[in-house]
Amino acid sequence: MYCKNCGAQIEDNVLQCPYCDFENEKVAQKEQDAHIEYYDNKTKKLKQLPDKIVNKTTKYLLMAAGAVFVLFIIALVVVFIVSSIKSKTDLPMQEKHLKKLEEYYVSGQYDKLGEYLDEKDLHGGSYQKYTVADNLYYFMELEINSLKQNYEYAVKIDIDETYLASNLEEIFKNMIKIEGLRDDGFKYGEEAVAVYVENEYKNALKTYAFLTEEEIEAVTLDYIDYDYKELARLVKTRMETR
């Protein structure tokens, strides 16, 4: 799932986002429901006891609940104070990281950008724009390099049509993801890298798979139902005859 506050991808069962500490409403509600169910069950059992025991037990339960509530309030105060102090100390470093990442982004050094994210462990949260850029660039390099290898094998020896079909499908799947980002208005400001990656995919498909602009567009329009095995056979034939 994605954090409603910062947009980072997080585990479904975490109580708070590890990047911005925003509360996961679903998990919080489940915990609250579990507590309510627990005390409801306790109450039902107490009703079966003699009044004297019920009153005494209820008193202890209320005292315990009160103590838990007080501890909960204290914990919230402590968390708030610690978070405030941490935010003040982290802000200058965050600004430094964002400035460096933006320099890499503007200059098109997406490989350096990814290395910096990994080195400083900055994925997600305030760095979502650069996380998206890193993911787009990483998978682009991976799939284009695979397409180059397929072309080289086709020229020298032979290639596996199944592997080629998978390679082509992944490329078009990633191009469709870029269309999705475009439809969302590039909400993280990742338009530059998205356009760059999209153009690199198209150039690779023309250079190594020998597909025309019209063929690329046709596959993109019918991405889900397209027969990639048939496409792989066509591309393999073109690779072998060039």
Side-chain angles (χ1 to χ4, degrees):
M1 67 174 291
Y2 295 89
C3 177
K4 290 185 178 180
N5 184 51
C6 69
Q9 186 171 6
I10 61 176
E11 296 292 336
D12 292 341
N13 60 349
V14 297
L15 179 60
Q16 290 181 309
C17 175
Y19 303 108
C20 67
D21 294 329
F22 190 76
E23 185 176 73
N24 185 335
E25 296 175 355
K26 292 183 178 180
V27 175
Q29 185 63 48
K30 287 182 179 180
E31 291 190 3
Q32 183 178 353
D33 291 343
H35 282 297
I36 292 173
E37 182 180 1
Y38 172 80
Y39 283 109
D40 282 346
N41 291 335
K42 280 287 186 181
T43 303
K44 290 177 182 178
K45 291 180 179 179
L46 288 174
K47 288 180 179 180
Q48 300 174 2
L49 300 175
D51 292 341
K52 184 176 180 180
I53 298 176
V54 169
N55 292 334
K56 186 176 181 180
T57 306
T58 302
K59 178 181 177 181
Y60 288 143
L61 283 175
L62 289 174
M63 291 174 61
V68 170
F69 179 75
V70 171
L71 290 174
F72 178 71
I73 295 299
I74 293 173
L76 284 179
V77 173
V78 171
V79 169
F80 175 77
I81 294 174
V82 172
S83 298
S84 299
I85 295 173
K86 189 174 185 297
S87 296
K88 291 180 180 178
T89 56
D90 286 351
L91 186 59
M93 185 59 68
Q94 184 183 83
E95 291 177 349
K96 176 184 176 182
H97 292 323
L98 289 172
K99 181 179 179 181
K100 189 65 177 178
L101 289 167
E102 186 64 16
E103 288 176 2
Y104 286 136
Y105 184 83
V106 172
S107 62
Q109 299 182 72
Y110 303 121
D111 53 343
K112 296 289 185 182
L113 182 150
E115 291 172 3
Y116 192 85
L117 284 173
D118 291 337
E119 178 187 347
K120 305 297 182 181
D121 193 21
L122 303 176
H123 296 276
S126 302
Y127 311 100
Q128 189 65 19
K129 170 184 176 179
Y130 310 105
T131 299
V132 172
D134 179 38
N135 286 337
L136 289 174
Y137 184 78
Y138 172 80
F139 287 109
M140 178 206 74
E141 281 202 318
L142 183 68
E143 296 304 331
I144 289 180
N145 284 335
S146 294
L147 188 61
K148 287 180 181 179
Q149 288 180 353
N150 276 314
Y151 170 63
E152 292 170 357
Y153 289 155
V155 173
K156 297 177 181 179
I157 41 177
D158 194 11
I159 55 175
D160 184 338
E161 286 186 9
T162 302
Y163 178 73
L164 177 58
S166 176
N167 183 195
L168 292 168
E169 184 174 4
E170 284 299 312
I171 288 176
F172 281 103
K173 181 176 74 174
N174 292 338
M175 291 175 67
I176 292 298
K177 286 181 180 178
I178 293 174
E179 282 300 315
L181 295 175
R182 182 176 284 110
D183 292 341
D184 288 342
F186 299 113
K187 61 183 179 180
Y188 298 116
E190 72 279 20
E191 181 175 3
V193 68
V195 172
Y196 169 79
V197 168
E198 184 178 49
N199 288 333
E200 288 295 298
Y201 276 133
K202 289 182 178 180
N203 290 334
L205 288 169
K206 294 174 183 177
T207 303
Y208 302 109
F210 304 102
L211 295 176
T212 65
E213 187 76 34
E214 292 74 18
E215 288 171 330
I216 293 172
E217 184 176 354
V219 178
T220 303
L221 290 174
D222 194 26
Y223 159 71
I224 296 178
D225 298 322
Y226 206 86
D227 188 345
Y228 289 97
K229 290 183 178 179
E230 181 63 31
L231 180 63
R233 283 192 287 271
L234 172 65
V235 169
K236 180 182 178 182
T237 300
R238 292 180 182 180
M239 285 178 170
E240 292 171 341
T241 56
R242 296 297 172 119

